[in-house]
Amino acid sequence: MDTCKVHENASKCSMNTMECFKVLSTQAQKISIATLCSLFGTLCILENSLVLYLIFSSARTRKKPSYIFISSLALADILASVIFVCSFVSFHVINESNFSKGTFLLQLWGVNTSFSASVSSLLLTALDRYICIVRPSEYKLLMTRKRAWVALGVLWVMCATIASLPLLGWNCCTLNSTCSQLFPFVDEKYLLSWICFVMVLLGCIIYIYTYVLWRAHQHVAYMEKHQMQVGKQNTTRMRMDIMLAKTLVMVLTVLMLCWSPVLILMIYSIFARLTNHLRKVFAFCSTLCLLNSMVNPVIYALRSKELYSSLRMIFSQFRRQMKASENNPEAESTRKSSVIDT
């Protein structure tokens, strides 16, 4: 039987209510959550930082709108990982007692903004692939570097604004309305609105990629049939576009698999009463968001030839430097003598 009534109005909003959302009751559960968050969060930050470095270290990739959108996705994943791990572990594992309404809603703003920006970056990437494959002759005119940055700026501002609504007053304590069963101080209607916003973004992405892959399949079939007429260069270019489109579909698939349990439980909480067991399940499913952010860079490295080539070049340079250091005994003796002098 539940010991806390979390589905209540603003008259019950208090610090005691915060304790009702700390659903991890055993030390084993807390250690498991802390381990998952630390592992996924650390790998996510390292991998996405590497992706950003690979993109911006090359003049060729950092000028392409496709990689500008991917860098936005990597940045959003880094921010989400840092904010999510710090706030989630502090709240559920460390059980900090200084969580106020403003502090919690500010952290929630950070997580919602970064995740919404991540999905928005995927949407822009999908549009980029759509224009590249459906209207290739006009791609460079329609998708310029300036337009890519402007589109990203508009979407980041929009995501930050929507995520800030609870902080600005759309919360159950201020409005004396029904509170969410999963998040303290969050109004149920706002939660439903945010879910609808994310679902619309995901629906648009699924539709665009379905159409893009269908057109890409048609192009491949045509070019294989008329390979002698169209030339080898055009065939290679089309295959690269199709490979990138398939890569982004893999990213979207991972996104859906990782976030579906969380979104389903959010929707279920609006229409039905949640038990403590389901809220514990929600806490563990939330770590799948970190898994999603951790897997995305791996997909880029394996599927993007340009990023993979840059990564191999970096490792090759590092290995050459190591071999040069090992094969140069004079430099090694100089280094040792300097260490001794120090």
Side-chain angles (χ1 to χ4, degrees), residues 8-293:
E8 49 197 13
N9 59 23
S11 61
K12 302 291 182 67
C13 285
S14 64
M15 294 305 296
N16 293 330
T17 305
M18 297 287 288
E19 298 298 324
C20 300
F21 293 87
K22 299 178 180 180
V23 295
L24 303 181
S25 55
T26 65
Q27 194 67 20
Q29 293 174 354
K30 295 180 180 180
I31 293 175
S32 299
I33 284 287
T35 303
L36 290 174
C37 288
S38 300
L39 178 62
F40 292 162
T42 302
L43 290 176
C44 173
I45 294 171
L46 293 176
E47 292 173 359
N48 282 286
S49 298
L50 178 61
V51 170
L52 289 176
Y53 174 77
L54 292 176
I55 291 175
F56 287 98
S57 63
S58 171
R60 182 180 179 183
T61 54
R62 68 170 174 260
K63 292 181 179 179
K64 290 186 175 182
S66 300
Y67 290 105
I68 291 176
F69 299 145
I70 291 176
S71 64
S72 174
L73 176 63
L75 177 61
D77 286 337
I78 290 175
L79 293 176
S81 299
V82 173
I83 300 172
F84 179 85
V85 170
C86 293
S87 59
F88 196 78
V89 172
S90 298
F91 185 81
H92 286 288
V93 179
I94 302 177
N95 286 329
E96 286 190 3
S97 58
N98 59 346
F99 269 94
S100 63
K101 183 183 75 170
T103 301
F104 180 84
L105 292 179
L106 182 62
Q107 293 177 347
L108 185 66
W109 169 80
V111 174
N112 285 351
T113 299
S114 53
F115 173 64
S116 301
S118 177
V119 179
S120 299
S121 299
L122 281 174
L123 177 59
L124 289 178
T125 309
L127 290 173
D128 175 75
R129 289 299 90 199
Y130 173 85
I131 297 173
C132 182
I133 292 179
V134 176
R135 305 175 69 176
S137 60
E138 304 174 39
Y139 174 77
K140 290 186 177 180
L141 294 176
L142 295 174
M143 190 59 69
T144 62
R145 185 182 180 188
K146 181 179 179 180
R147 288 181 178 178
W149 283 112
V150 170
L152 278 178
V154 171
L155 281 176
W156 272 85
V157 170
M158 182 182 68
C159 293
T161 302
I162 294 174
S164 66
L165 292 178
L167 196 60
L168 296 176
W170 191 356
N171 57 76
C172 59
C173 297
T174 303
L175 299 177
N176 194 29
S177 56
T178 304
C179 297
S180 167
Q181 300 181 68
L182 294 172
F183 305 101
F185 314 119
V186 174
D187 180 73
E188 270 197 349
K189 292 182 180 179
Y190 170 79
L191 180 61
L192 181 61
S193 301
W194 186 82
I195 293 172
C196 291
F197 169 67
V198 173
M199 295 296 287
V200 167
L201 293 178
L202 293 175
C204 292
I205 295 172
I206 293 173
Y207 172 78
I208 291 173
Y209 276 134
T210 301
Y211 185 80
V212 164
L213 289 181
W214 175 68
R215 287 296 299 267
H217 177 73
Q218 285 187 325
H219 285 186
V220 169
Y222 176 83
M223 298 187 79
E224 287 179 349
K225 185 177 180 181
H226 303 85
Q227 188 169 3
M228 297 301 296
Q229 287 83 354
V230 298
K232 184 177 179 181
Q233 184 177 359
N234 290 333
T235 303
T236 303
R237 180 181 177 182
M238 179 56 65
R239 288 186 181 277
M240 290 179 64
D241 289 338
I242 294 169
M243 184 176 180
L244 184 54
K246 290 181 178 180
T247 298
L248 297 170
V249 169
M250 291 174 61
V251 173
L252 178 61
T253 302
V254 173
L255 179 74
M256 293 296 295
L257 291 176
C258 291
W259 279 90
S260 291
V262 173
L263 292 176
I264 290 173
L265 285 173
M266 285 182 183
I267 296 173
Y268 181 77
S269 70
I270 296 174
F271 300 101
R273 178 83 177 190
L274 290 182
T275 62
N276 279 342
H277 175 71
L278 283 178
R279 290 194 285 140
K280 288 180 182 179
V281 172
F282 178 80
F284 278 92
C285 288
S286 298
T287 60
L288 291 176
C289 309
L290 290 177
L291 179 63
N292 166 240
S293 299

